[in-house]
Amino acid sequence: MLVPLHGFLKGDSLGLVVLVHDHDTMRRVVSSLQQAATCRVAPVPPDGLRVWVKGAALDPDLTVAQAGLEPLDRIDVAPNEVTR
Amino acid sequence: MLKRDEWLDLARKLDWSFSYVDEREVFPEVISGRPWLAQDAWKDWDEPYRTTYAEYVTNQHAKDVALDAVREAIGRVEDFQKHDASWLNGLKLHVATLPLAEFAAVVGNLRAGRFARDSAWRTTAALGALDELRHTQIPLLLMHDLVQWDPQFDWTHKFFHTNDWVAIAGRHLVDELLLTANPIEFAIATNFVFETGFTNLQFVGLASMAHHVGDRMFEKMVQSIQTDEARHAQIGGPVLQTVLKHDPAYAQYLIDKWFWRSWHFFAIVTGFAMDYLTPLKDRTASFKEFMEEWTLDQFARSLEEYGLKKPWYWDQFLDGLDQYHHMVYASAYTYRATVWFDLTLPGPEERAWLRLKYPNTWDRMEPIWERITERARQAGPGVEWYTHGVTPVAFCDLCQLVLCEGTTDANSARTYAHEGRKYIFCSEPCQWIFQTEPQRYAAHKSVVGRILAGEAPPNLLELVKYFGLTQEMWGKDVAGGSYPWLVNAKTNGA
């Protein structure tokens, strides 16, 4: 199932709507948002980035469904060490 | 014969006590606004201009003759063609948002001309309606001749009839502010907040830049409009004074709500023009400096005079003054095919100026422009898509603008569930406005909502068509990506 998410990449100037599959991992979600913002934000190695939801960093191997993400939820993609 | 001041109130103050109907039926609260007060509470309403209809006609005729003379002298296509391309695109942005919004203000004023609670107020509003009709006609007339040269000027009339995202945001604001507001909300929101609070940015700030650029036509147009605005804006103060006496919390609410909504509008329309689309050599001050001089100082002082507080989100607003329009501009540049005017890529000198004017925040924007510049350099002139986004952007469910509040490190967007539907807002004030009157806003669909409902296409190229744009019309880089500094930087290995 396709899940549209409100995505905010650290360093970017705006929020985007990224369309992901419910079986996509957080690693894949990071990469999708980086790709979507690539003309404004230079990509960094995705291993250093995490998906953050409500102040918590999600495991990169977790899928969208496992993370309980629903359509139009907000996700942030930011470095691993960021405390939100 | 009676002198003017001896007979004037006989013609302006025509209220009487109703004997066959109830006053509430003549002025129902749902149309006249709240707080509903008997006429006695409004009977001292007055404003300083006290214009008669005969004076109005004479003065307006003289203004139109003067403006026509300027148009005859310097309003031809070849006169506009002399101007810098960036400036002309700032002009396209302005003239699209202006005339039909002014036409909506005709409706708002006419409603006040019937349902406002004092006859002198109704008279002034009726003249205000005539003013706004003039402000509709002037830009439509001036820009009409330019359409044959540059089809993007067609958006002077077309803009509000499209589903372009800026037009959706514009209608969301204008429909509430001008078309549907009752006379009390209209007077406080439009006359007091929007007109006295913000329009000097255009009439003084942008007019001074137009003077430097040499665009005397634009300068004269806004100056001519300003003389009307200065008069009918006076409606707001005395209305605010009466509402304050009877319902101060409501007065403060209207101020807080409309200051925020007006701020977003001007941050884009004027912020883009002053800090990006006016050629660097012609910039007399930054948008922030104009805001500080013409809005913060003067508006804050008049709030104090009325015994009102600054809006509760004032600190957030001050933070946004340093970055909101920069965030939106960078976003719009990389989605320029979704608008009807071209945008410029700020070069090293412009970015140095922006750093000077925004020393506390520009460092956050700089990496974005470095990235865009690098890609523009890699792509070379004429290749638009390499510096253009393809993913749909997200929009605020209140202001309908892109989610650009906060900073590049911490976007302040926030989600909220209401009656089973999810909403997202760019900022705390937008969410607060929504939550205060959800019945006003809940049913509206943002661009994303329309895509998810199958009413608009998800593919950006198709979405641009839904916005009413064709390849000929849609926004591009002003210089087609061909900037001397971009070539030099490449040569220098920078």
Side-chain angles (χ1 to χ4, degrees):
Chain A
M1 191 179 84
L2 284 168
V3 182
L5 298 172
H6 286 121
F8 297 85
L9 177 65
K10 187 175 165 70
D12 202 1
S13 55
L14 81 167
L16 298 171
V17 180
V18 280
L19 207 54
V20 295
H21 288 279
D22 57 359
H23 55 76
D24 284 343
T25 62
M26 292 303 118
R27 192 174 279 110
R28 180 67 187 266
V29 173
V30 167
S31 154
S32 295
L33 187 56
Q34 275 195 302
Q35 186 59 39
T38 193
C39 66
R40 289 176 305 281
V41 183
V44 296
D47 287 349
L49 297 173
R50 292 287 181 274
V51 172
W52 292 76
V53 176
K54 293 177 183 163
L58 303 184
D59 184 327
D61 293 323
L62 212 58
T63 66
V64 169
Q66 288 167 339
L69 291 174
E70 293 181 348
L72 301 181
D73 276 351
R74 172 183 177 151
I75 59 154
D76 285 79
V77 169
N80 192 17
E81 69 275 13
V82 170
T83 306
R84 302 187 66 82
Chain B
M1 193 165 131
L2 288 174
K3 290 179 186 161
R4 176 192 184 280
D5 282 343
E6 289 168 343
W7 61 259
L8 186 60
D9 276 346
L10 292 174
R12 291 172 86 238
K13 288 287 190 183
L14 294 168
D15 291 291
W16 66 92
S17 300
F18 301 102
S19 51
Y20 294 100
V21 288
D22 188 273
E23 195 182 343
R24 280 183 182 272
E25 292 177 75
V26 184
F27 296 104
E29 181 174 322
V30 68
I31 305 179
S32 286
R34 72 176 172 102
W36 194 93
L37 305 166
Q39 209 283 320
D40 195 52
W42 298 100
K43 68 177 169 38
D44 294 329
W45 190 97
D46 209 352
E47 46 82 27
Y49 282 79
R50 295 164 57 83
T51 308
T52 68
Y53 183 67
E55 289 165 349
Y56 181 84
V57 172
T58 306
N59 290 341
Q60 299 303 90
H61 176 70
K63 284 188 225 172
D64 281 345
V65 167
L67 200 64
D68 274 348
V70 176
R71 181 178 173 240
E72 286 296 316
I74 54 169
R76 292 161 302 183
V77 173
E78 50 269 36
D79 296 310
F80 282 92
Q81 284 173 328
K82 291 175 194 159
H83 298 314
D84 180 275
S86 287
W87 173 262
L88 286 170
N89 281 285
L91 182 63
K92 288 173 200 166
L93 166 59
H94 269 89
V95 293
T97 54
L98 181 64
L100 294 202
E102 299 279 7
F103 192 66
V106 174
V107 177
N109 273 295
L110 288 176
R111 183 177 294 108
R114 161 62 181 87
F115 290 101
R117 298 307 319 281
D118 177 83
S119 55
W121 172 6
R122 292 195 291 274
T123 301
T124 311
L127 300 183
L130 294 173
D131 289 341
E132 305 295 15
L133 195 56
R134 179 172 182 260
H135 307 167
T136 307
Q137 292 169 331
I138 290 171
L140 287 176
L141 174 69
L142 292 178
M143 297 302 121
H144 182 259
D145 288 346
L146 305 186
V147 177
Q148 57 179 320
W149 162 53
D150 185 337
Q152 288 179 324
F153 278 108
D154 196 23
W155 278 58
T156 308
H157 188 273
K158 188 177 177 180
F159 171 73
F160 272 107
H161 295 296
T162 71
N163 281 319
D164 186 86
W165 64 272
V166 188
I168 290 171
R171 281 200 300 271
H172 195 278
L173 171 74
V174 161
D175 285 0
E176 186 184 8
L177 175 72
L178 307 171
L179 267 185
T180 60
N182 64 60
I184 290 176
E185 183 160 4
F186 184 87
I188 295 175
T190 305
N191 299 131
F192 186 77
V193 178
F194 196 89
E195 289 174 347
T196 61
F198 284 92
T199 53
N200 272 337
L201 275 176
Q202 312 283 104
F203 298 139
V204 183
L206 207 60
S208 83
M209 287 196 184
H211 183 81
H212 277 263
V213 167
D215 188 350
R216 298 296 155 84
M217 189 71 256
F218 183 80
E219 182 190 358
K220 295 297 172 198
M221 176 181 83
V222 294
Q223 285 175 347
S224 184
I225 289 175
Q226 192 270 342
T227 56
D228 298 344
E229 298 280 338
R231 173 173 27 75
H232 66 238
Q234 298 301 322
I235 292 173
V239 175
L240 179 60
Q241 217 156 24
T242 303
V243 175
L244 263 171
K245 206 184 294 177
H246 297 271
D247 193 348
Y250 182 56
Q252 184 74 52
Y253 163 69
L254 291 178
I255 296 287
D256 291 5
K257 170 184 167 182
W258 287 109
F259 185 85
W260 185 258
R261 299 214 66 186
S262 304
W263 147 244
H264 268 191
F265 174 82
F266 283 99
I268 292 173
V269 174
T270 320
F272 278 24
M274 287 183 168
D275 282 355
Y276 292 93
L277 297 174
T278 298
L280 188 56
K281 65 180 173 48
D282 298 311
R283 291 179 202 167
T284 50
S286 69
F287 173 63
K288 182 185 174 184
E289 287 165 339
F290 274 118
M291 278 290 292
E292 284 173 340
E293 182 173 358
W294 292 101
T295 296
L296 271 63
D297 287 355
Q298 295 191 11
F299 192 68
R301 209 177 311 129
S302 54
L303 289 182
E304 205 176 295
E305 282 167 11
Y306 282 99
L308 285 154
K309 287 182 276 193
K310 286 175 186 163
W312 60 266
Y313 49 74
W314 195 253
D315 289 344
Q316 291 179 49
F317 157 68
L318 292 179
D319 287 345
L321 197 53
D322 261 322
Q323 49 213 2
Y324 177 63
H325 69 295
H326 297 310
M327 298 264 283
V328 183
Y329 187 85
S331 306
Y333 181 82
T334 54
Y335 279 92
R336 54 196 176 277
T338 67
V339 295
W340 66 98
F341 56 95
D342 300 340
L343 290 97
T344 189
L345 175 60
E349 288 181 13
E350 287 164 308
R351 278 152 51 192
W353 182 86
L354 288 162
R355 180 186 296 281
L356 188 72
K357 298 295 182 183
Y358 298 89
N360 300 326
T361 51
W362 186 255
D363 278 352
R364 293 189 182 121
M365 294 306 302
E366 187 62 21
I368 290 179
W369 288 114
E370 283 172 7
R371 174 67 174 168
I372 297 170
T373 300
E374 182 52 32
R375 285 177 72 90
R377 187 174 293 137
Q378 287 169 10
V383 182
E384 295 277 338
W385 64 269
Y386 203 57
T387 51
H388 202 287
V390 293
T391 303
V393 307
F395 296 89
C396 175
D397 276 309
L398 191 280
C399 68
Q400 309 297 317
L401 293 167
V402 282
L403 298 175
C404 289
E405 276 283 357
T407 68
T408 56
D409 284 345
N411 192 298
S412 64
R414 42 215 289 134
T415 53
Y416 172 68
H418 172 75
E419 294 185 350
R421 183 178 152 189
K422 270 186 197 159
Y423 296 86
I424 190 160
F425 303 102
C426 67
S427 58
E428 191 183 358
C430 275
Q431 181 176 349
W432 168 75
I433 293 168
F434 180 95
Q435 283 183 269
T436 310
E437 293 181 276
Q439 69 281 7
R440 275 199 182 197
Y441 309 110
H444 189 273
K445 286 194 198 107
S446 71
V447 173
V448 173
R450 294 171 194 213
I451 291 172
L452 295 177
E455 296 166 13
N459 171 288
L460 192 72
L461 198 59
E462 293 300 315
L463 189 61
V464 164
K465 291 180 195 164
Y466 173 80
F467 287 166
L469 291 154
T470 60
Q471 190 166 2
E472 188 187 28
M473 295 261 196
W474 71 48
K476 302 165 187 72
D477 181 276
V478 163
S482 184
Y483 295 92
W485 55 266
L486 203 56
V487 176
N488 292 341
K490 188 178 184 180
T491 310
N492 297 336

